[in-house]
Amino acid sequence: MAKVKAIVLAGGKGTRMKSELPKVLHKIYDKCIIDYVCDACKEAKIKDTYVIVGHKHEMVEEHLKNKKNIKCILQKDQLGTGHAAMQAKDYIEDDDYVFVINGDQPLISSQTIKSLISFCKQGNYGGAVLSAIIDHPGSLGRIIRDSFGNLNRIVERKDCNEEEERVNEINIGVYCFKGKLLKDSFGKLDDNNAQNEYYITDIPYHIKDMGYNFGVYAIADISEYQGINSREELSIATATLLDKTRKQHMNNGVTLIDPSSTYISLNVKIGKDTIIYPGTHIQGDTVIGENCIIGPNSHIISSKIGNNVVVETSKITESTIMDNCKIGPFAHIRPKSNINENVKVGSFAETKNVNIGENTKIPHLIYTGDADIGKNVEIACGCITANMNTKWEKNRTVIKDGAFVGCNSALLAPVTIGENSIVGAGSTITEDVPDNSLAIAREKQITKKDYLKK
Ligand code: UD1
Ligand code: CA
């Protein structure tokens, strides 16, 4: 079976961004432009993706270095999109299908990629290009058709005559080619045009010249066409993507009280009957269950939240919160916090690298870091687990099931509080407390009677 490979063109300067950062490393909300493109290729089941890098290539290579099945290929001089695609020539087999996408087209969905490829295969075309009909074609390349409605050629705006300029069907910068025909066309490209560049947009002309049909596939969802050349287009793409994501969640049964002030990234999953209040950001690959109340003003990053959880005005990063928990207001759940069912983490409580058992309460002004806290534990106001010793080493605190830690206590790790034990308020605990015990570690009170009368 013919293999499909992808070439992502990402070597250009991105001059119009006016930035020190390569264009494809700019972010749409919380994810880089290049990652949207590469992830869509991956979701479309394309195994090998070749990213053409050039301008500030080290930064792009560094960004992509841990991604599977992605190979960066250097285009030393940026001589145009055709010249960029040509750099991947040695990786293309004759019977491959080659999907090519401009690296600055992040809104193209995996569904569109799949549709374009099957359109190309089923129509037995030498290649196919994705097009859109838009009101203001601006600087985009025009799709010029012949009197039968077939593709004649793609003409860049700067090379258009007046009639061509009026055409409002545009080239999105997304193509599929038969491997051999693409390779054969590379040798025929020239830079005899207004920008003195080797255009990929000339390849359809050469493929047709070799006696093949070249298909034009009109995009199903017009909102995907937006490319990014400037900060303004970046903001348009961001708004488009956020809006689409919000609608998807609402269609799935999630209430967004004020969609415009609710920011959800593409890969987030949310269960039905969850209600999201304004000012909330949900990012990364967060999964939220059903019947939760999230927000107002909460920020959740790459975390897993169960069902019936309330998160009020809090930040949660790379953590797990199980069913029926109540987080906040003003809680800070830092990475590697595993919080079991029915736990309350209240106002100004911070957790980090902890395991917290069922029904435990850490209601206010508490820091628990590097700790294993059991079930049915209650930690009163103002307590901390002091994890760092004088050598800057971190140690764990263990608080076993049913223990109670009185207010304003410091537990100096490594230390263990036994099952059902009580730590008296204001204690600084440096030694382990056995099960079923009471530990008090504070100065005895001195009361000087009638002291002020003297
Ligand atoms: C290109 C198309 C245009 C289309 C538009 C859609 C050409 C000649 N024109 O124009 O028909 O309507 O996209 O957005 O292809 N790149 C390289 N190396 C280079 C030059 C560019 O890797 O030498 C990369 C860029 O980083 C970018 C992509 O190719 O990601 C497209 O280049 P860009 O200069 O943005 O092309 P457009 O002018 O937008
Ligand atoms: Ca572009």
Side-chain angles (χ1 to χ4, degrees):
M1 226 176 73
K3 228 179 161 187
V4 183
K5 292 173 180 162
I7 302 177
V8 179
L9 310 180
K13 232 186 182 151
T15 316
R16 289 164 279 179
M17 292 297 283
K18 308 226 167 93
S19 175
E20 292 299 315
L21 196 66
K23 176 162 74 178
V24 293
L25 295 187
H26 280 264
K27 283 182 178 173
I28 295 190
Y29 190 42
D30 65 340
K31 179 166 149 181
C32 291
I33 292 172
I34 189 74
D35 294 334
Y36 284 95
V37 178
C38 291
D39 289 355
C41 291
K42 192 173 147 198
E43 268 169 47
K45 304 265 183 295
I46 299 178
K47 289 233 169 65
D48 304 314
T49 296
Y50 301 96
V51 178
I52 312 301
V53 294
H55 177 69
K56 298 209 172 164
H57 60 94
E58 298 89 349
M59 291 172 83
V60 184
E61 285 159 357
E62 174 67 22
H63 179 79
L64 293 172
K65 74 174 183 211
N66 294 325
K67 289 223 166 189
K68 260 193 177 168
N69 303 325
I70 291 183
K71 183 176 172 51
C72 291
I73 301 175
L74 180 62
Q75 179 196 23
K76 277 205 194 101
D77 300 304
Q78 282 66 63
L79 305 181
T81 49
H83 179 258
M86 211 184 289
Q87 309 308 309
K89 199 174 172 204
D90 294 345
Y91 298 92
I92 302 169
E93 306 290 337
D94 284 354
D95 60 351
D96 286 341
Y97 275 87
V98 185
F99 171 75
V100 181
I101 180 165
N102 287 355
D104 59 359
Q105 295 290 149
L107 301 189
I108 299 295
S109 66
S110 57
Q111 189 49 53
T112 297
I113 297 176
K114 284 195 262 182
S115 303
L116 177 70
I117 295 166
S118 34
F119 172 80
C120 185
K121 284 181 179 171
Q122 278 158 21
N124 197 25
Y125 292 111
V129 57
L130 198 62
S131 84
I133 295 174
I134 59 173
D135 291 339
H136 303 289
S139 64
L140 296 167
R142 307 301 202 259
I143 302 283
I144 308 298
R145 293 177 184 258
D146 63 20
S147 50
F148 301 104
N150 297 321
L151 180 75
N152 182 0
R153 60 193 306 166
I154 302 172
V155 181
E156 287 309 292
R157 157 75 199 275
K158 286 183 180 154
D159 300 302
C160 279
N161 61 33
E162 267 179 40
E163 193 189 334
E164 288 163 342
E165 200 172 330
R166 280 197 296 274
V167 171
N168 64 350
E169 183 174 21
I170 54 99
N171 166 33
I172 298 184
V174 179
Y175 323 80
C176 180
F177 303 102
K178 275 189 169 169
K180 175 159 175 37
L181 301 180
L182 178 64
K183 285 197 292 182
D184 289 349
S185 306
F186 284 144
K188 299 182 177 176
L189 291 180
D190 62 48
D191 62 355
N192 195 4
N193 52 53
Q195 300 182 82
N196 297 117
E197 285 183 358
Y198 296 88
Y199 293 161
I200 198 170
T201 47
D202 284 346
I203 285 180
Y205 171 81
H206 294 299
I207 289 183
K208 282 179 62 227
D209 201 40
M210 289 187 260
Y212 294 85
N213 288 327
F214 203 94
V216 180
Y217 184 76
I219 199 165
D221 179 356
I222 188 84
S223 69
E224 290 182 20
Y225 94 88
Q226 183 68 53
I228 297 175
N229 297 295
S230 61
R231 305 273 180 164
E232 193 180 340
E233 287 177 347
L234 179 68
S235 79
I236 295 170
T238 306
T240 304
L241 193 82
L242 286 169
D243 201 43
K244 219 165 149 177
T245 313
R246 290 168 183 133
K247 282 185 184 139
Q248 271 167 12
H249 288 292
M250 290 190 279
N251 288 337
N252 290 343
V254 178
T255 296
L256 308 186
I257 302 286
D258 177 20
S260 67
S261 71
T262 306
Y263 299 81
I264 306 173
S265 36
L266 196 62
N267 300 334
V268 168
K269 294 190 177 64
I270 307 176
K272 64 175 186 302
D273 291 322
T274 284
I275 302 174
I276 311 211
Y277 281 79
T280 293
H281 291 255
I282 306 173
Q283 301 178 327
D285 47 9
T286 293
V287 178
I288 297 177
E290 298 180 358
N291 274 313
C292 294
I293 298 177
I294 310 289
N297 305 319
S298 292
H299 190 178
I300 303 177
I301 305 153
S302 299
S303 294
K304 197 170 176 317
I305 314 278
N307 299 321
N308 306 307
V309 172
V310 176
V311 177
E312 190 184 348
T313 318
S314 293
K315 180 167 182 181
I316 301 174
T317 310
E318 292 161 29
S319 290
T320 303
I321 316 279
M322 308 269 270
D323 297 353
N324 304 314
C325 286
K326 192 173 179 312
I327 308 296
F330 309 107
H332 188 186
I333 311 293
R334 292 169 53 203
K336 293 192 189 154
S337 297
N338 293 312
I339 300 179
N340 266 283
E341 287 167 25
N342 231 348
V343 166
K344 179 176 167 54
V345 180
S347 40
F348 307 103
E350 178 174 325
T351 67
K352 185 214 72 178
N353 194 16
V354 294
N355 298 305
I356 302 181
E358 291 158 34
N359 302 317
T360 285
K361 291 190 179 68
I362 54 170
H364 18 237
L365 296 158
I366 288 164
Y367 172 71
T368 57
D370 303 292
D372 299 300
I373 303 170
K375 295 184 263 188
N376 302 309
V377 168
E378 185 146 353
I379 304 180
C381 187
C383 291
I384 65 160
T385 58
N387 47 4
M388 194 97 82
N389 64 17
T390 48
K391 293 177 197 140
W392 305 104
E393 294 160 342
K394 297 240 171 98
N395 294 292
R396 286 192 87 77
T397 299
V398 178
I399 304 173
K400 293 199 169 161
D401 297 352
F404 176 88
V405 182
C407 66
N408 228 20
S409 293
L411 310 180
L412 269 51
V415 73
T416 297
I417 309 299
E419 234 175 85
N420 297 319
S421 288
I422 295 178
V423 171
S427 294
T428 298
I429 299 292
T430 54
E431 286 164 20
D432 289 352
V433 179
D435 295 351
N436 304 306
S437 308
L438 168 67
I440 303 170
R442 61 176 183 239
E443 285 285 324
K444 239 186 147 136
Q445 180 173 329
I446 301 167
T447 306
K448 297 191 174 173
K449 222 175 158 224
D450 294 332
Y451 181 78
L452 292 178
K453 280 189 185 161
K454 285 176 193 163

